[in-house]
Amino acid sequence: MALVPSTAIDGPLFAEVDMGGDSSSTTVRATVVQASTVFYDTPATLDKAERLIADAAAYGAQLVVFPEAFIGGYPRGSNFGVTIGSRSAKGKEDFRKYHASAIDVPGPEVDRLAAMSGKHKIFLVMGVIEREGYTLYCTVLFFDPQGQYLGKHRKLMPTALERVIWGFGDGSTIPVYETPLGKIGALICWENRMPLLRTALYAKGIEIYCAPTADARDVWQASMTHIALEGGCFVLSANQFCRRKDYPPPPDYVFAGLDDEPLPESVVCAGGSVIISPSGAVLAGPNYDGEALISADLDLGEIVRAKFDFDVVGHYSRPEVLSLIVRDHSLKPVSFTSAENKAESARKL
C-alpha cells in the first residue's frame, strides 16, 4: 500500500492510502470536520457550519461528518454545580443557558441544516444537542443531498456526568440509512465501546460508520481501528479542536476540577479526527494540530474484500450459540388511551 502525500493544510487534509482497488468499485469522497462550537451562540455556530460545509463541498466531499454536540456545544469542564444531594444556583443558570442553546428536532435549525445539505449536494451527519421540552439529548442528525432531513440517533448511554444534563436514547433511534454512497449510520463517543450496540449496526449492514466524539485521547484511535476491522466498514470519527478561548471566559464559564484556570490559548480538546478503512488502514488523520477538514476517498470495494476475511453477522456468526435481541420501539413515560384508540380507528378505515 502506497502512502499518498498530503495536500497543503489550507485545504482539506488528505492522508489517503491507496487500497489497490479497481475502476469497478464505487469511490466516495468523505470529510470529517474538526472544529469548535461557538459556545452559547447557536446562530453563529450554524454560520460556521455552513462555511465548513461549503469548503468541504468545494473540494468534492459527498459526505460531511461533524463532531459530537457541534450545534449546542459540548460543555467540557463544567459540572453544572452538581454535588450529591444539591445543585447550585449558578449551576441551574448554566443549564438554563445550555438549554437555550439546544435545538428542537424538527425545528428551524434543522430546516437550515437541511437547506445547507441541499445547497451543497452533500450527505450531512451533524452532532447536535436536541431539546425536547425541558430534557436535552446528545443527538446525531442525518440529511441527504436533496435537502431532506432523514432522521436522528439519540445517544443511548451518556457517559459519567453527561447523565446529569442529557436524557437517554432508546432503541427507536438506531438507524442505518441506505444511500447511493452506501449504508450510513452513527454512534456517539463512548457508546461506540458498547459491543451489543455496535452489533445492532452491523446487523443493519452499516458500511460507513460515523463516530462523532469528544474523546481526544490516543487510546480512542485503537477503538476506531478495532471497529473498522470488526465491522468490515469505513469508520469516520470527528472530534472538536478547542482552546480555552472557544468557551466563555470566567467567571461565566469555569473549568472545574483543575488546579488552575487554563490560559486562553490552552488546548482543552486536541481533536484526533480520523478516517479508517475496513482493513484497519488509516486513510486520513488523526489530526491534533488544529481545526481542519480531514478527507479521504473511500473505495467501497474494500468492504467486500474485508468481509471475505470476517463478517461478524454473517459467515463468522454463531446464532445457535450467541444471539442479540434489539428492542427498537419508542419508549414513552406517558401514553394516552384516547390517542391509541384514534390510531386504531384510523387503521380500521
Side-chain angles (χ1 to χ4, degrees), residues 31-33 53 56-57 61-66 122-126:
T31 295
V32 294
V33 174
I53 289 169
Q62 299 163 276
L63 169 65
V64 181
V65 181
F66 276 77
I122 52 115
F123 283 91
L124 175 63
V125 179
M126 174 64 73

Side-chain angles (χ1 to χ4, degrees), residues 12-195:
L13 179 67
F14 284 86
E16 302 168 30
V17 174
D18 180 359
M19 303 308 299
D22 58 56
S23 60
S24 66
S25 297
T26 300
T27 300
V28 172
R29 176 154 292 185
T31 295
V32 294
V33 174
Q34 180 164 289
S36 174
T37 301
V38 184
F39 210 82
Y40 287 157
D41 193 339
T42 297
T45 303
L46 286 165
D47 291 342
K48 183 173 184 178
E50 184 154 23
R51 292 193 299 271
L52 292 164
I53 289 169
D55 288 346
Y59 285 91
Q62 299 163 276
L63 169 65
V64 181
V65 181
F66 276 77
E68 177 180 13
F70 185 78
I71 307 295
Y74 187 84
R76 186 175 302 278
S78 180
N79 62 16
F80 290 88
V82 172
T83 56
I84 294 176
S86 68
R87 287 146 299 282
S88 71
K90 182 182 184 307
K92 291 180 180 181
E93 175 60 13
D94 289 344
F95 183 77
R96 185 201 64 77
K97 290 188 287 188
Y98 191 52
H99 181 272
S101 298
I103 66 172
D104 297 325
V105 180
E109 294 86 1
V110 176
D111 292 342
R112 184 174 175 191
L113 290 167
M116 293 179 200
S117 67
K119 176 181 178 181
H120 297 287
K121 306 300 181 188
I122 52 115
F123 283 91
L124 175 63
V125 179
M126 174 64 73
V128 307
I129 300 303
E130 176 191 359
R131 179 179 56 222
E132 184 175 335
Y134 299 101
T135 297
L136 303 181
Y137 297 91
C138 185
T139 299
V140 168
L141 306 181
F142 300 85
F143 302 87
D144 72 15
Q146 287 71 51
Q148 299 295 313
Y149 164 61
L150 299 176
K152 67 187 178 185
H153 164 62
R154 281 179 174 172
K155 194 172 189 177
L156 200 64
M157 177 53 68
T159 299
L161 200 64
E162 294 173 358
R163 298 171 198 170
V164 171
I165 56 169
W166 296 340
F168 292 60
D170 62 31
S172 68
T173 65
I174 314 175
V176 170
Y177 296 100
E178 189 157 2
T179 79
L181 305 187
K183 295 179 181 178
I184 300 172
L187 297 181
I188 305 169
C189 207
W190 276 22
E191 64 177 1
N192 284 286
R193 295 169 62 175
M194 300 171 69

Side-chain angles (χ1 to χ4, degrees), residues 112-339:
R112 184 174 175 191
L113 290 167
M116 293 179 200
S117 67
K119 176 181 178 181
H120 297 287
K121 306 300 181 188
I122 52 115
F123 283 91
L124 175 63
V125 179
M126 174 64 73
V128 307
I129 300 303
E130 176 191 359
R131 179 179 56 222
E132 184 175 335
Y134 299 101
T135 297
L136 303 181
Y137 297 91
C138 185
T139 299
V140 168
L141 306 181
F142 300 85
F143 302 87
D144 72 15
Q146 287 71 51
Q148 299 295 313
Y149 164 61
L150 299 176
K152 67 187 178 185
H153 164 62
R154 281 179 174 172
K155 194 172 189 177
L156 200 64
M157 177 53 68
T159 299
L161 200 64
E162 294 173 358
R163 298 171 198 170
V164 171
I165 56 169
W166 296 340
F168 292 60
D170 62 31
S172 68
T173 65
I174 314 175
V176 170
Y177 296 100
E178 189 157 2
T179 79
L181 305 187
K183 295 179 181 178
I184 300 172
L187 297 181
I188 305 169
C189 207
W190 276 22
E191 64 177 1
N192 284 286
R193 295 169 62 175
M194 300 171 69
L196 301 184
L197 187 53
R198 295 198 305 269
T199 301
L201 292 190
Y202 302 152
K204 292 186 175 186
I206 192 166
E207 296 170 325
I208 301 176
Y209 184 121
C210 304
T213 189
D215 191 341
R217 299 173 305 154
D218 290 343
V219 72
W220 180 253
Q221 302 301 319
S223 291
M224 297 298 94
T225 300
H226 173 79
I227 291 169
L229 288 167
E230 179 182 68
C233 53
F234 290 94
V235 172
L236 284 59
S237 183
N239 193 7
Q240 298 194 31
F241 183 94
C242 307
R243 299 184 186 275
R244 175 61 183 91
K245 66 182 181 181
D246 294 317
Y247 287 83
D252 185 37
Y253 193 103
V254 176
F255 274 69
L258 301 177
D259 293 335
D260 298 304
E261 171 68 19
L263 296 173
E265 293 296 328
S266 298
V267 175
V268 295
C269 182
S273 301
V274 69
I275 300 175
I276 300 175
S277 83
S279 67
V282 174
L283 302 184
N287 180 288
Y288 298 101
D289 297 328
E291 294 198 344
L293 300 177
I294 299 159
S295 300
D297 289 332
L298 316 182
D299 170 17
L300 299 190
E302 181 65 11
I303 296 171
V304 181
R305 293 188 283 272
K307 297 284 193 182
F308 180 61
D309 288 338
F310 185 85
D311 185 355
V312 67
V313 292
H315 62 77
Y316 226 92
S317 65
R318 288 292 305 277
E320 75 280 16
V321 179
L322 302 168
S323 62
L324 172 65
I325 296 172
V326 179
R327 296 174 180 86
D328 58 356
H329 56 284
S330 179
L331 297 174
K332 300 291 184 183
V334 180
S335 298
F336 294 93
T337 58
S338 59

